Each structure stands twice: as C-alpha cells, then as structure tokens.
C-alpha cells in the first residue's frame, strides 16, 4: 500500500511538472490572479518576450497597473464580471517595459482553488499586429469614404441584376433621389426605355474585359431626362466571379449642348458658303481639295466629285 501511494505521488508530481513545462513554454500570457487583482502565477518566458518584465517585476504590482489608463475602467468591469459569472473576454492594452503598449485579446475564467478561494485564470494573446492591420484598413476606408463623398462625378455600385447598393452624394444630386430611395430601385427604372436595350448590349460587350464606357440617358426623380457618360467595371470575388458592378457617371448635358451648338454653327456656316457668289474651297495639309462650293464648281467647270481629292498644285 505504501509503495502504491508513493507511485501515485510520483505520477502526480511528474504530471504537474509536465503541465508546468507546457505553461512556461506557451506563447500566450498565462496568469492566475486573486480578487485583489494580484498575480499569484504567471508564465515568465512569454511575459519576458511580449512585455519585457520578469516574474519579480510583475508580481510586485497589481495586474491593473500594467493596463493602459484608457482601458483600465473596462478591465475592472470585465474582471468583476469574470468573478461573478465565471468567464469573460476583452481586448485591451498592456504597458511593456519599454513604455510602449501591446494589444492583447484577454480571456478569463474563474475557479475555486484547493483552499476554497476564488481565483481567475487568464490567457492573453498578443494581437498588436492584427490591430495595426485593422487600423491601417480603417484609415484606408476613411480615405476611400472621403474620396467617395467629395469626387465631383457620380459613383455608384449595383448588384449584377442592377439593384442599387451604394452611391455618393454627387450621384444622388444628379438624380434627385435619396440613397434609401435608390436602394429600392434598379438602374432600369432610371433609364429611358429607348436606352435599355443599348445598355444591356453595352454591359454584355464589356463582360469579357471587365470594364467599358458608353453614353445613355437618365431619368431624374422629377421626370426630366439628361445625357450621361458611364464608365462601368465588374467587381469580382476571390475566384474571379463577378459579384457587383461599379461605375463613374458624368452628367454630359453641357457637353451635348456645346456639340449641338457647334453642329448648328457648321450648318449655318455651310449654308452661307453654298449661297455666296464667290468661289470657296478647302484643302488638307497635303494640298488635296476636300471641299468646293457651288460657285467655284461653276467657275472651274469641274463637278464636286471630279475635284474631290485632287491636288491644289495641279
């Protein structure tokens, strides 16, 4: 019986030794603290690596003293919660020996020790790099949002079947709709019927390349119609499958007015030239005739067809 008891004791000590080796070599911060927030155990190797403190430096102060001042109130609340309900999880910053702060994801679970006292087992993982990436993404998103809001042209995203997902303020101003109104619509509803087939064919044509530009018209909320130039592209998932469409949209009303004004001016100019009694001609940079008015044809005896493309020098 004595030998059996001795063997059990040896097995127990060996088991405890293996368990302690595992704890001491873990990459995460592992601690046991009491209800006064004092350390009763910590794995020194991980704490030295992540925070730079040895066991004595940490055990000499309450655990909360190493928590960032802005996170301390949150830490107190979560510790209290862990002791009351059994477990909790929180992200906070711990001060390292160098003075910088390390972000950790801390999970705690309460237990009763062999003396009947409630303690808290804590496991904290270093997530500083994740936080840096997260902050960089937030900054990038903020820059994108500011660009999205401030760019003068309309920007819009839709599902593959044309339902609106997002739009910047310039696009909303262009049409007179709110974003909530647009989200209950698709782009066919703001497209005059005569343009729907044209648009459908344009979208099909740029599917292989993933982008394309075409012109069409839009219908404003007040019913007025105006011309736009639309540059659209596909947004694809990680497998390369199209999942959304996005587009830059420019109101080209003024450009179309200018083009029409130029055409009207050219017609007026041609009418004046055709009806003048004096001969008039135009040549290209190589000296070839490109235009004769009727008066010059009568003077020269050549028809327009005979003169077109012949050299001025001949």
């Amino acid at each position: 019986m004595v030998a059996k008891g001795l063997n059990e004791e040896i097995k127990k000590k060996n088991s405890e030794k293996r368990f302690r080796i595992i704890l001491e070599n873990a990459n995460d911060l592992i601690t046991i603290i009491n209800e006064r927030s004092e350390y009763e155990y910590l794995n020194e190797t991980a704490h030295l690596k992540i925070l730079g403190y040895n066991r004595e430096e940490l055990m000499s102060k309450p655990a909360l003293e190493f928590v960032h001042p802005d996170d301390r109130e949150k830490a107190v609340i979560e510790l209290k919660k862990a002791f009351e309900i059994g477990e909790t999880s929180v992200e906070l910053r711990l001060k390292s020996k160098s003075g910088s702060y390390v972000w950790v994801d801390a999970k705690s679970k309460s237990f009763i020790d062999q003396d009947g006292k409630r303690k808290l087992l804590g496991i904290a993982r270093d997530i500083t790099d994740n936080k840096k990436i997260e902050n960089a993404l937030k900054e990038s998103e903020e820059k994108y949002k500011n660009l999205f809001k401030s760019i003068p042209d309309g920007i819009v995203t839709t599902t593959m079947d044309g339902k609106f997902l997002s739009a910047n303020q310039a696009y909303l101003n262009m049409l007179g709709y709110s974003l909530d109104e647009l989200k209950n619509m698709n782009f066919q509803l703001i497209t005059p019927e005569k343009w729907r087939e044209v648009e459908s064919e344009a979208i099909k044509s740029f599917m292989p390349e993933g982008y394309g530009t075409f012109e069409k018209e839009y219908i404003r909320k007040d019913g007025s119609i105006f011309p736009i130039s639309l540059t659209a592209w596909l947004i694809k998932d990680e497998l390369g499958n199209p999942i959304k469409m996005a587009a830059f949209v420019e109101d080209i009303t003024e450009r179309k007015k200018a083009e029409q004004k130029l055409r009207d001016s050219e017609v007026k100019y041609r009418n004046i030239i055709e009806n003048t009694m004096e001969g008039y001609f135009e040549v290209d940079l190589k000296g070839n005739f490109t235009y004769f008015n009727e008066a010059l044809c009568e003077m020269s005896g050549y028809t327009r067809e005979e003169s077109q493309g012949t050299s001025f020098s001949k």
Side-chain angles (χ1 to χ4, degrees):
M1 291 293 291
V2 174
K4 184 178 179 181
L6 185 60
N7 285 335
E8 290 296 325
E9 185 67 24
I10 291 171
K11 286 181 181 179
K12 182 179 178 182
K13 287 183 177 179
N14 286 338
S15 177
E16 289 176 353
K17 185 178 179 181
R18 285 196 297 270
F19 182 63
R20 187 170 290 275
I21 289 171
I22 291 170
L23 290 180
E24 288 299 327
N25 288 279
N27 292 320
D28 295 336
L29 304 176
I30 300 174
T31 58
I32 293 175
I33 63 173
N34 57 35
E35 291 183 297
R36 296 186 300 277
S37 298
E38 297 169 335
Y39 288 113
E40 294 199 356
Y41 168 80
L42 58 89
N43 58 339
E44 186 174 26
T45 303
H47 280 78
L48 273 170
K49 181 180 177 182
I50 296 172
L51 297 176
Y53 299 108
N54 61 35
R55 190 186 310 276
E56 288 71 28
E57 289 170 322
L58 290 163
M59 300 284 274
S60 65
K61 297 178 181 179
L64 287 171
E65 283 198 25
F66 297 96
V67 177
H68 191 289
D70 292 344
D71 297 338
R72 204 163 288 165
E73 183 179 353
K74 175 170 61 175
V76 170
I77 292 170
E78 293 301 322
L79 283 174
K80 184 179 179 182
K81 189 188 299 183
F83 277 113
E84 289 177 353
I85 66 174
E87 58 184 289
T88 187
S89 176
V90 63
E91 290 184 359
L92 46 77
R93 288 161 288 181
L94 298 178
K95 188 175 184 179
S96 70
K97 194 170 183 177
S98 68
S100 62
Y101 283 90
V102 176
W103 274 100
V104 296
D105 178 14
K107 300 183 187 302
S108 303
K109 190 167 186 176
S110 65
F111 67 97
I112 305 297
D113 70 6
Q114 59 190 11
D115 297 322
K117 295 180 179 180
R118 188 170 292 278
K119 305 289 173 66
L120 210 60
L121 171 65
I123 301 176
R125 176 158 295 178
D126 183 355
I127 58 169
T128 304
D129 288 341
N130 291 348
K131 281 292 181 180
K132 287 178 180 177
I133 294 170
E134 186 180 309
N135 289 335
L137 286 172
K138 284 180 180 177
E139 288 177 9
S140 178
E141 286 174 3
E142 193 61 33
K143 288 178 182 177
Y144 168 74
K145 285 179 182 177
N146 290 335
L147 177 64
F148 190 73
K149 290 176 182 177
S150 61
I151 197 166
D153 290 336
I155 306 175
V156 62
T157 61
T158 72
T159 61
M160 291 304 295
D161 59 358
K163 186 176 180 181
F164 288 104
L165 296 172
S166 67
N168 69 344
Q169 194 58 48
Y171 190 81
L172 299 176
N173 293 343
M174 197 182 292
L175 289 163
Y177 288 103
S178 69
L179 184 57
D180 288 338
E181 288 174 320
L182 274 184
K183 284 184 175 181
N184 291 315
M185 303 167 63
N186 59 43
F187 61 69
Q188 287 89 350
L189 293 177
I190 60 169
T191 301
E193 189 171 351
K194 68 177 182 178
W195 286 100
R196 290 177 187 173
E197 187 175 346
V198 174
E199 182 169 55
S200 178
E201 290 301 316
I203 292 172
K204 286 179 185 177
S205 70
F206 75 68
M207 280 290 180
E209 293 292 330
Y211 62 91
T213 299
F214 59 97
E215 293 183 2
K216 55 173 276 189
E217 290 179 327
Y218 269 166
I219 306 170
R220 292 190 182 91
K221 186 177 180 179
D222 64 11
S224 59
I225 295 173
F226 66 103
I228 57 107
S229 174
L230 188 148
T231 299
W233 66 95
L234 300 175
I235 298 174
K236 301 179 181 180
D237 63 17
E238 61 275 8
L239 298 177
N241 300 313
I243 54 172
K244 289 188 284 188
M245 289 187 289
F248 283 115
V249 182
E250 180 187 2
D251 182 345
I252 57 173
T253 301
E254 294 306 315
R255 192 181 87 192
K256 287 294 184 182
K257 285 180 179 178
E259 289 173 357
Q260 186 59 49
K261 190 174 181 180
L262 180 60
R263 284 194 294 270
D264 292 343
S265 176
E266 287 176 349
V267 170
K268 183 179 179 181
Y269 166 71
R270 289 293 180 192
N271 287 335
I272 292 172
I273 290 174
E274 282 298 325
N275 290 289
T276 185
M277 300 299 293
E278 297 178 355
Y280 176 87
F281 65 89
E282 294 175 2
V283 295
D284 60 23
L285 293 175
K286 294 180 179 180
N288 296 320
F289 289 109
T290 59
Y291 175 76
F292 274 79
N293 71 344
E294 191 61 33
L296 189 59
C297 288
E298 291 178 3
M299 289 179 191
S300 65
Y302 291 101
T303 64
R304 293 178 196 268
E305 291 73 19
E306 291 171 329
S307 301
Q308 193 75 22
T310 60
S311 174
F312 175 75
S313 61
K314 296 179 181 179

